[in-house]
Amino acid sequence: MFKKSFYFLFFFLLIGCEEKNNLTVKEAIKYLNDDDVLFLDVRTQNEFNYDGSIKNALLIPVNQLEKKLTILEYYKNKKIIVYCKTGSRSKLAAAFLKKNNFKAFTIEGGFVAWKKHPMLD
């Protein structure tokens, strides 16, 4: 019994110590005019053009991120908020950026959640 309790406690401590990687739309909105933050759109060019985008976002589709990593070197000391349509591609992109020593976060629910947020009406 003690051993099982110890493992549960250890597991929850690990989760509590883990850095928060996701931002809610409400949290992300606070960074819209922050010069130390880059919004990175990893959707396709068509999605970016036809569905809209976040103000001043840089578009680098997720499948081009590795070969265009040097473009992001300028933002190495900034927070990068990565988003896609629903959050799947942005999680992959943020993990890749973190492996390359960037401070990357994602928006929960992606651009779909962003467009639905009442503060943006």
Side-chain angles (χ1 to χ4, degrees):
M1 179 75 169
F2 175 75
K3 194 174 188 178
K4 200 180 253 187
S5 297
F6 174 77
Y7 286 120
F8 280 119
L9 179 62
F10 182 72
F11 175 73
F12 286 112
L13 285 174
L14 278 177
I15 290 173
C17 295
E18 194 174 294
E19 185 181 340
K20 184 177 177 192
N21 295 322
N22 294 328
L23 299 173
T24 64
V25 171
K26 187 176 181 178
E27 291 169 326
I29 287 170
K30 294 176 186 175
Y31 294 107
L32 264 178
N33 297 310
D34 189 330
D35 291 336
D36 290 325
V37 176
L38 169 70
F39 280 84
L40 178 63
D41 191 325
V42 295
R43 298 175 298 157
T44 65
Q45 184 74 52
N46 282 341
E47 288 173 298
F48 187 85
N49 291 341
Y50 298 113
D51 297 335
S53 63
I54 294 175
K55 178 180 140 189
N56 297 325
L58 174 65
L59 173 67
I60 301 178
V62 70
N63 63 346
Q64 297 175 19
L65 194 58
E66 187 172 0
K67 65 182 169 183
K68 293 193 175 185
L69 195 59
T70 55
I71 293 170
L72 294 172
E73 285 298 318
Y74 174 78
Y75 304 98
K76 197 85 170 198
N77 295 317
K78 297 180 184 240
K79 180 181 283 195
I80 299 176
I81 300 177
V82 186
Y83 71 95
C84 62
K85 183 175 182 175
T86 60
S88 302
R89 290 172 282 179
S90 59
K91 285 179 186 173
L92 294 172
F96 173 76
L97 290 171
K98 283 180 179 262
K99 281 184 182 180
N100 286 279
N101 302 312
F102 289 90
K103 294 177 251 174
F105 302 84
T106 60
I107 298 174
E108 293 174 2
F111 193 62
V112 169
W114 180 272
K115 288 192 337 185
K116 289 181 181 177
H117 198 278
M119 289 177 68
L120 297 167
D121 287 338

